[in-house]
């Protein structure tokens, strides 16, 4: 299924300059962000947003299915790349993702949802739309689980609200539970490319190697980020019952490979996408 794009480049520009971000490895996106702000070509193409539907054969194997027939299906919705509110930054936005999740909640043929996540996070203003849509699926009595490879920061916030979180493989990455702000200071530099990055006090381990290179007193900006990280913490702790919140790095921005993430309660198990879809069929049966 291809969804109609919902774009707002003005909002994206504002978020890049002054917005709060729940993002892992944000520095890798700086060249594209600066090009966007300077109205230069940005080599990030909008990917197709393909929502897939899978039916279960009598022997338990899976097959692709058209969403509009009478077959009971599990809907698989991709969340890939940087998560922004609108379709932008080379990725599909939270509004489009939330619409697809809500459609699955109201679709009588869809008995459950898999969020197929490969994302380092995104903007704080993108989260409420997706979480609200997840609640619609749960309110409809349908299982919704997350299948993840890279699942960090805002992406993990989303995954944690699902009924279960599954790692794709042994080297899948989870965590980076923390908040940062990043903006461009073009007032005192000839090239206008001076980047200022601020981290919440509660996230001392988030992007630690990069932070050590920064100098300056950003105490006030850190305090302004605290409400966002508090909300993040509470959402994860409420949904992840086995979470070892006091373990090193769990709520301070650290990242964990799959087996470590299972040990501290961030993840439930390691399953392929196919096995994750089958898991949803089982959950739907018992629901």
């Amino acid at each position: 299924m291809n969804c109609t794009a919902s774009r707002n480049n003005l909002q994206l520009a504002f978020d890049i300059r002054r917005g709060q971000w729940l993002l892992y490895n944000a520095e890798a996106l700086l060249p594209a962000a600066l090009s966007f702000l300077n109205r230069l070509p940005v080599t990030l193409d909008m990917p197709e947003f393909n929502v897939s539907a899978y039916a279960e054969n009598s022997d338990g194997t899976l097959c692709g299915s058209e969403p509009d027939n009478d077959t009971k299906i599990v809907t698989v919705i991709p969340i890939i790349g940087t998560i922004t509110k609108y379709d932008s930054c080379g990725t599909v936005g939270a509004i489009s993702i939330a619409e697809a999740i809500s459609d699955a909640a109201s679709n009588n043929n869809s008995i459950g949802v898999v969020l197929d996540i490969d994302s380092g996070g995104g903007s704080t203003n993108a989260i409420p739309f997706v979480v609200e849509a997840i609640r619609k699926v749960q309110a409809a009595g349908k299982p919704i689980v997350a299948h993840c490879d890279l699942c960090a920061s805002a992406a993990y916030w989303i995954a944690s609200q699902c009924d279960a979180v599954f790692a794709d493989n042994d080297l899948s990455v989870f965590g980076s539970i923390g908040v940062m702000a990043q903006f461009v200071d073009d007032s005192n530099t000839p090239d206008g490319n001076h980047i200022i990055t601020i981290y919440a006090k509660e996230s001392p381990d988030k992007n630690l190697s990069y932070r050590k290179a920064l100098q300056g007193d950003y105490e006030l900006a850190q305090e302004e980020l605290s409400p966002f990280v508090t909300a993040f913490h509470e959402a994860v702790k409420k949904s992840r019952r086995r979470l070892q919140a006091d373990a090193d790095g769990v709520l301070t921005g650290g990242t964990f490979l799959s087996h470590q993430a299972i040990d501290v309660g961030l993840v439930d198990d390691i399953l392929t996408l196919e096995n994750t879809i089958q898991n949803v069929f089982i959950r739907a049966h018992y629901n």
Side-chain angles (χ1 to χ4, degrees):
M1 178 177 71
N2 292 321
C3 299
T4 303
S6 173
R7 299 175 184 270
N8 188 327
N9 288 337
L10 181 61
Q11 179 66 49
L12 176 60
F14 178 81
D15 287 342
I16 291 174
R17 284 187 171 274
R18 298 297 301 274
Q20 285 77 36
W21 291 82
L22 309 171
L23 192 61
Y24 171 70
N25 196 25
E27 291 72 38
L29 295 173
L30 283 179
L34 291 172
S35 294
F36 176 82
L37 291 174
N38 292 323
R39 299 183 179 181
L40 297 174
V42 180
T43 56
L44 291 173
D45 296 327
M46 178 62 62
E48 291 187 4
F49 184 41
N50 294 320
V51 178
S52 304
Y54 291 87
E56 190 175 38
N57 297 316
S58 59
D59 61 356
T61 59
L62 301 176
C63 62
S65 176
E66 292 297 328
D68 57 354
N69 63 22
D70 294 331
T71 304
K72 296 303 180 183
I73 59 172
V74 168
T75 305
V76 179
I77 300 171
I79 301 179
I80 299 173
T82 306
I83 305 169
T84 54
K85 181 177 179 180
Y86 297 97
D87 296 336
S88 56
C89 208
T91 58
V92 175
I95 291 178
S96 296
I97 294 169
E99 288 176 350
I101 298 172
S102 298
D103 287 346
S106 60
N107 183 350
N108 291 331
N109 292 341
S110 180
I111 55 102
V113 177
V114 174
L115 300 184
D116 193 20
I117 300 175
D118 192 0
S119 170
S123 176
T124 56
N125 66 4
I127 302 302
F129 299 94
V130 183
V131 172
E132 180 182 2
I134 291 172
R135 297 288 179 258
K136 291 180 181 178
V137 176
Q138 294 167 333
K142 301 178 181 182
I144 179 169
V145 306
H147 170 264
C148 315
D149 195 0
L150 172 61
C151 185
S153 224
Y156 185 77
W157 188 332
I158 291 170
S160 73
Q161 303 308 294
C162 296
D163 301 332
V165 180
F166 298 117
D168 178 72
N169 58 76
D170 290 348
L171 298 180
S172 298
V173 176
F174 297 84
S176 194
I177 298 175
V179 183
M180 58 170 286
Q182 194 164 64
F183 56 95
V184 179
D185 179 10
D186 54 10
S187 59
N188 297 317
T189 54
D191 58 7
N193 288 344
H194 179 50
I195 304 299
I196 297 177
T197 304
I198 311 297
Y199 291 81
K201 289 181 177 180
E202 295 88 343
S203 306
D205 297 321
K206 188 173 177 67
N207 298 335
L208 186 60
S209 60
Y210 180 78
R211 294 182 62 196
K212 287 183 176 180
L214 301 177
Q215 299 293 325
D217 182 2
Y218 301 130
E219 184 173 357
L220 180 60
Q222 288 177 321
E223 292 175 357
E224 291 175 348
L225 293 174
S226 292
F228 294 95
V229 76
T230 298
F232 195 172
H233 287 179
E234 292 305 315
V236 172
K237 288 189 289 186
K238 182 177 180 180
S239 297
R240 299 298 302 173
R241 302 293 185 180
R242 297 190 302 104
L243 185 73
Q244 297 182 23
D246 296 332
D248 289 345
V250 169
L251 293 181
T252 55
T255 55
F256 303 83
L257 294 179
S258 299
H259 290 286
Q260 297 170 313
I262 292 172
D263 290 341
V264 297
L266 291 169
V267 172
D268 295 294
D269 203 349
I270 301 175
L271 296 179
T272 64
L273 177 58
E274 180 178 354
N275 289 339
T276 300
I277 296 169
Q278 291 170 330
N279 180 274
V280 173
F281 274 110
I282 294 171
R283 288 171 181 269
H285 174 76
Y286 286 103
N287 277 1

